[in-house]
């Protein structure tokens, strides 16, 4: 492993004027942001060839803190915006970060279609089971019966499995980790960044301000303990898609690469010129 | 080379000649020929066509391509244009130049997909939320579909604004023999010079045409739909919110002198028809018929640019008019703007047709 000096790490952030950040004390997004940056540095991804794109929400504020090309788009629309960037400049490394509400609810249709098209993009879905920025409403990943500011009597909806949808829609690589398993998380992000084609890392993250409080789990430390006790490695389960009440972490889907959209479209250009 | 083209095809050709190299769209009648033409022609010139999952995805994808440095456009009709409104607001706020063609059909809702209308005049102006001006051009012929698309690209590049090309279904589907120029005059935006520490993405010190960087050029820019400072980073400081909104308004208002572009004739006449799009074709025919039969002169003032609305210029041009007629295929959208902003102290007559059929010369003659 390459040694990351404090300088290289800190140089990746817009420290001069963008901090302090707006995230709540104990939020998991800072852990994810730092882990992402360590992965970028270890993989040798330069700040000038990287474009980090987001929609709207707590985790969508991450790009603003990173010193590279960054694109804070509309709610749910990070993936179509990323599609435009990648098609215009295929040489850029394009990374999308967003929350469970942003990517799976308002952006759900874009998520499945970007996976289907196999754009060479890595998506980090920060799943804290709630809409944090608007005050703890239920999201498409909030488990049934759980409470939220808009589900005071318990959520009646069934929840999405982000990884299952990603795999079904055609993602090349799908992995899950948590903000407790930081080294594991970094490994998953690195594998996703190295995979050509559409890759997804779901990160289960703590929101002590809303989700932890509504479910009575407690503060950030209690939530991290909760993440630890609820997680099980994919190697320890028979079928990762059939496990209830646990977060199955690890690489859940890693298929043989097929040419991404940009390569296929290049062949369209060649055929069109004939 | 003389060729028989539809307005939609001429618009697509204009986009290609003006250097558009990216199209993201979703099929919708009566605009689809634009997408079909560009799907065939863009890859031949190294460009990119993508058919997105919906119109919201289309405009956001186009904004992404623009942010990464390509000239980009999309084409749609009323319902799709409604879906794009938030994204148009993003283009305005982040100052991303792009072209949105709206080949108008009737509404509201699904309305009349295969019939004509000019009922999106106000949607083009006020469709997205927040205070901001917009630029909208309105061709009346196949040749003008070409010319105004080229002009739309130039305006959008120069002022870093989305420009809307408003065609009605008649203009989009009409076929005419035209001869299109191979070369067109293009605006060349300035590129920033290093070092990046000296670069501000929103620098208003230079007639609003300051150099602009794109993703992947080493300037590490930040684009956001939030109210931002001149370096692009969000803020909610009152004076900067105001600076931001003033800048968006001023860069269009301060450039009205070259944005104004009206076609007109016979402005000494007592009766003047203010018109646009295919309704202007009927108005021209009505003028000829009335002049032939009665010898009375009828003025025509045809707007090629609907927004920003040229109120001051119209006041000057219509000074000697005793009667103003505004024919259009809606319930009086531009008529109200003429009456409200020109305030001529003479009767302004609205001629309306909104049954999906073309406004005929006879209907305009009846109002004359």
């Amino acid at each position: 492993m390459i040694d990351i000096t404090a300088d290289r790490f800190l140089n990746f952030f817009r420290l001069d004027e963008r901090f302090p950040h707006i995230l709540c004390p104990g939020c998991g997004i800072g852990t994810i942001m730092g882990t992402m940056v360590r992965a970028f540095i270890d993989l040798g991804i330069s700040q000038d060839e990287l474009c980090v794109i987001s929609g709207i929400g707590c985790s969508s504020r991450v790009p603003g803190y990173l010193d590279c090309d960054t694109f804070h788009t509309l709610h749910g629309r990070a993936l179509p915006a990323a599609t435009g960037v990648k098609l215009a400049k295929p040489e850029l490394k394009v990374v999308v970060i967003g929350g469970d509400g942003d990517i799976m609810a308002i952006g759900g249709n874009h998520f499945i279609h970007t996976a289907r098209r196999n754009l060479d993009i890595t998506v980090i879905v920060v799943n804290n089971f709630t809409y944090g920025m608007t005050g703890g409403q239920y999201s498409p990943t909030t488990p049934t019966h759980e409470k939220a500011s808009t589900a005071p009597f318990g959520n009646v909806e069934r929840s999405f499995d982000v990884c299952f949808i990603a795999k079904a829609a055609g993602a090349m690589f799908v992995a899950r980790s948590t903000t407790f398993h930081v080294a594991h998380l970094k490994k998953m992000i690195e594998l996703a960044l190295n995979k050509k084609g559409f890759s997804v890392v779901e990160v289960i993250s703590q929101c002590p301000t809303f989700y932890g409080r509504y479910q009575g789990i407690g503060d950030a430390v209690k939530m991290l303990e909760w993440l630890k006790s609820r997680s099980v490695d994919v190697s320890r389960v028979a079928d990762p898609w059939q496990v209830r009440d646990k977060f199955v972490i690890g690489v859940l889907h890693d298929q043989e690469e097929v040419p991404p959209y940009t390569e296929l479209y290049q062949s369209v250009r060649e055929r069109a010129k004939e | 080379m003389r060729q028989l083209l539809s307005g939609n095809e001429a618009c697509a050709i204009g986009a290609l000649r003006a250097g558009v190299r990216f199209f993201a769209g979703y099929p919708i009648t009566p605009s689809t020929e634009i997408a079909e033409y560009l799907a065939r022609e863009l890859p031949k010139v190294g460009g990119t066509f993508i058919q997105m999952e919906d119109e919201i995805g289309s405009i956001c994808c186009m904004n992404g391509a623009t942010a990464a440095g390509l000239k980009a456009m999309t084409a749609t009709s009323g319902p799709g244009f409604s879906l794009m409104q938030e994204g148009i607001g993003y283009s305005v706020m982040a100052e991303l130049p792009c072209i949105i063609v709206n080949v108008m059909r009737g509404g509201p809702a699904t309305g009349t997909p295969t019939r004509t209308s000019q009922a999106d005049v106000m949607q083009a102006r006020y469709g997205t939320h927040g205070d901001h001006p917009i630029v909208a051009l309105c061709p009346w012929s196949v040749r003008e579909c070409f010319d105004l698309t080229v002009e739309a690209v130039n305006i959008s590049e120069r002022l870093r604004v989305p420009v809307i090309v408003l065609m009605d279904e008649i203009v989009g589907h009409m076929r005419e023999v035209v001869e299109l120029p191979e070369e067109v005059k293009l605006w060349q935006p300035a590129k920033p010079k290093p070092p990046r520490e000296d670069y501000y993405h929103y620098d208003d010190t230079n007639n609003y045409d300051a150099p602009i960087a794109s993703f992947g050029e080493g300037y590490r820019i930040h684009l956001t739909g939030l109210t931002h400072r001149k370096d692009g980073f969000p803020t909610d400081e009152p004076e900067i919110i105001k600076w931001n909104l003033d800048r968006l308004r001023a860069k269009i208002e301060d450039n009205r002198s070259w944005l104004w572009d009206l076609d007109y004739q016979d402005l000494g006449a007592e009766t003047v028809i203010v018109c646009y799009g295919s309704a202007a074709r009927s108005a021209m025919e009505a003028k000829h018929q009335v002049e032939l039969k009665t010898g009375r002169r009828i003025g025509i003032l045809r707007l090629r640019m609907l927004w920003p609305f040229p109120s001051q210029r119209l006041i000057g041009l219509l000074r000697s008019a005793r009667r103003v007629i505004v024919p259009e295929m809606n319930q009086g959208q531009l008529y109200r703007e003429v009456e409200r902003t020109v305030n001529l102290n003479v009767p302004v007559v609205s001629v309306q047709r909104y049954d999906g059929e073309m406004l005929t010369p006879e209907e305009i003659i009846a109002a004359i």
Side-chain angles (χ1 to χ4, degrees):
Chain A
M1 189 193 279
I2 303 166
D3 177 47
I4 302 170
T5 64
D7 270 2
R8 288 184 68 196
F9 181 70
L10 294 176
N11 278 341
F12 224 103
F13 295 92
R14 287 163 169 154
L15 284 180
D16 46 347
E17 42 194 337
R18 295 293 301 135
F19 284 78
H21 57 70
I22 62 159
L23 304 169
C24 302
C27 175
I29 293 167
T31 308
I32 299 165
M33 178 159 73
T35 308
M36 260 172 76
V37 166
R38 288 184 176 90
F40 293 147
I41 293 171
D42 268 8
L43 293 180
I45 296 170
S46 104
Q47 282 155 274
D48 287 332
E49 63 179 18
L50 173 66
C51 188
V52 183
I53 302 176
S54 66
I56 296 297
C58 302
S59 46
S60 295
R61 289 301 187 96
V62 165
Y65 303 114
L66 303 180
D67 192 17
C68 56
D69 281 322
T70 48
F71 197 9
H72 182 222
T73 69
L74 292 167
H75 192 35
R77 314 304 168 200
L79 280 165
T83 300
V85 172
K86 187 71 191 178
L87 292 179
K89 287 227 168 90
E91 67 275 19
L92 282 177
K93 191 85 188 163
V94 176
V95 176
V96 167
I97 181 163
D100 43 290
D102 184 56
I103 290 185
M104 301 313 296
I106 187 167
N109 198 34
H110 303 309
F111 182 75
I112 59 175
H113 286 282
T114 317
R116 176 179 65 81
R117 291 190 189 104
N118 193 25
L119 267 297
D120 185 15
I121 290 171
T122 295
V123 184
I124 295 171
V125 183
V126 179
N127 185 1
N128 57 15
F129 310 101
T130 193
Y131 285 82
M133 194 158 267
T134 46
Q137 296 83 12
Y138 66 90
S139 91
T141 56
T142 307
T144 318
H145 307 308
E146 289 197 346
K147 291 195 173 149
S149 65
T150 46
F153 309 106
N155 177 22
V156 294
E157 296 181 15
R158 295 187 296 167
S159 61
F160 269 159
D161 179 331
V162 176
C163 292
F164 189 73
I165 292 174
K167 174 177 179 285
M172 295 290 111
F173 176 91
V174 181
R176 187 187 287 125
S177 191
T178 84
T179 45
F180 176 82
H181 303 83
V182 182
H184 180 266
L185 172 61
K186 178 163 168 284
K187 182 79 194 155
M188 296 301 114
I189 293 175
E190 286 176 355
L191 289 171
L193 289 169
N194 273 338
K195 186 82 181 183
K196 193 161 77 177
F198 194 74
S199 56
V200 178
V201 179
E202 181 189 10
V203 192
I204 312 292
S205 176
Q206 76 275 17
C207 173
T209 305
F210 292 112
Y211 186 76
R213 187 156 56 87
Y214 275 111
Q215 309 324 320
I217 302 169
D219 63 11
V221 174
K222 295 232 169 61
M223 287 205 79
L224 284 169
E225 285 166 357
W226 170 80
L227 285 174
K228 181 190 176 192
S229 67
R230 291 265 307 226
S231 298
V232 54
D233 194 86
V234 66
S235 63
R236 295 175 176 272
V237 299
D239 180 353
W241 311 111
Q242 295 296 333
V243 178
R244 300 274 170 260
D245 303 322
K246 290 273 185 198
F247 307 128
V248 180
I249 63 169
V251 178
L252 303 182
H253 175 67
D254 187 7
Q255 71 170 75
E256 197 180 324
E257 284 171 359
V258 297
Y261 191 103
T262 41
E263 281 180 24
L264 292 174
Y265 198 81
Q266 187 51 37
S267 71
V268 167
R269 291 192 189 103
E270 277 147 29
R271 287 204 299 280
K273 279 173 192 157
E274 279 167 12
Chain B
M1 183 184 68
R2 284 165 63 80
Q3 49 188 333
L4 182 66
L5 290 175
S6 72
N8 280 345
E9 287 165 343
C11 168
I13 295 168
L16 283 173
R17 299 269 162 86
V20 167
R21 289 297 175 266
F22 190 87
F23 181 97
Y26 187 81
I28 181 167
T29 304
S31 75
T32 25
E33 294 83 2
I34 298 173
E36 287 164 358
Y37 190 93
L38 290 172
R40 197 167 65 240
E41 298 301 324
L42 269 173
K44 292 180 189 169
V45 294
T48 305
F49 170 92
I50 185 166
Q51 182 170 304
M52 292 298 286
E53 54 274 15
D54 56 33
E55 286 89 349
I56 301 175
S58 302
I59 186 136
C60 295
C61 185
M62 177 175 77
N63 280 339
T66 304
L70 289 188
K71 288 184 182 176
M73 82 179 245
T74 187
T76 188
S77 186
F81 194 55
S82 297
L83 287 177
M84 287 180 182
Q85 289 299 339
E86 192 191 13
I88 295 173
Y90 192 94
S91 320
V92 169
M93 184 58 116
E95 303 191 28
L96 293 168
C98 57
I99 307 302
I100 302 119
V101 183
N102 176 1
V103 188
M104 290 182 279
R105 62 198 249 178
T110 317
T112 46
T114 58
R115 298 302 184 108
T116 195
S117 128
Q118 294 179 319
D120 295 343
V121 169
M122 286 299 166
Q123 191 188 191
R125 174 65 189 86
Y126 292 108
T128 192
H129 63 282
D131 270 334
H132 68 93
I134 201 88
V135 179
L137 309 180
C138 196
W140 82 325
S141 67
V142 170
R143 173 61 200 253
E144 223 175 59
C145 287
F146 175 91
D147 291 339
L148 289 190
T149 303
V150 172
E151 199 160 322
V153 172
N154 283 338
I155 294 168
S156 75
E157 289 286 312
R158 186 161 169 187
L159 296 181
R160 294 163 66 182
V161 291
V163 176
I164 293 157
V165 179
L166 270 180
M167 314 199 300
D168 50 74
E169 183 272 342
I170 291 168
V171 171
H173 279 162
M174 176 172 67
R175 287 185 172 273
E176 291 181 307
V177 175
V178 287
E179 185 153 357
L180 301 179
E182 283 302 318
E183 300 268 319
V184 292
K185 220 174 139 190
L186 297 181
W187 174 260
Q188 295 297 346
K191 276 286 162 196
K193 292 184 181 72
R196 69 183 177 91
E197 288 73 25
D198 297 342
Y199 175 71
Y200 291 97
H201 199 64
Y202 303 98
D203 201 340
D204 65 345
T205 57
N206 217 356
N207 293 328
Y208 312 101
D209 56 359
I212 176 171
S214 306
F215 291 152
E217 294 175 354
Y219 285 87
R220 300 185 194 169
I221 54 177
H222 180 66
L223 301 184
T224 178
L226 291 166
T227 300
H228 44 260
R229 314 178 302 209
K230 73 172 181 174
D231 59 5
F233 291 103
T235 180
D236 54 6
E237 284 173 50
E239 68 265 36
I240 302 188
I241 296 172
K242 186 171 181 308
W243 168 84
N244 196 153
L245 293 175
D246 281 344
R247 173 188 162 78
L248 295 181
R249 187 185 63 222
K251 68 175 178 167
I252 290 180
E253 294 296 324
D254 290 357
N255 285 290
R256 273 176 177 258
S257 56
W258 62 268
L259 277 172
W260 277 347
D261 188 9
L262 311 175
D263 272 6
Y264 57 93
Q265 47 188 294
D266 288 324
L267 283 163
E270 291 198 338
T271 298
V272 178
I273 308 172
V274 176
C275 49
Y276 57 99
S278 70
R281 299 175 78 90
S282 297
M284 197 60 90
E285 176 62 20
K287 165 195 162 68
H288 291 321
Q289 285 189 25
V290 170
E291 287 180 348
L292 205 66
K293 276 182 204 151
T294 67
R296 204 179 132 199
R297 296 198 66 82
I298 302 297
I300 291 263
L301 204 160
R302 183 172 71 80
L303 303 175
R304 286 165 28 117
M305 174 172 288
L306 298 188
W307 306 115
F309 191 68
S311 311
Q312 290 306 314
R313 183 114 181 263
L314 282 190
I315 289 168
L317 291 172
L318 295 174
R319 195 166 287 135
S320 59
R322 291 288 160 264
R323 198 153 176 270
V324 174
I325 297 171
V326 186
E328 53 189 334
M329 292 180 293
N330 59 49
Q331 296 180 336
Q333 296 192 14
L334 207 75
Y335 152 72
R336 281 192 292 277
E337 195 69 10
V338 172
E339 196 186 40
R340 180 177 76 85
T341 67
V342 178
N343 193 15
L344 290 169
N345 221 9
V346 298
V348 179
V349 180
S350 177
V351 180
Q352 307 171 0
R353 180 156 193 173
Y354 40 86
D355 61 355
E357 295 288 322
M358 186 169 178
L359 193 66
T360 63
E362 290 69 31
E363 287 166 284
I364 299 170
I365 291 168
I368 295 171

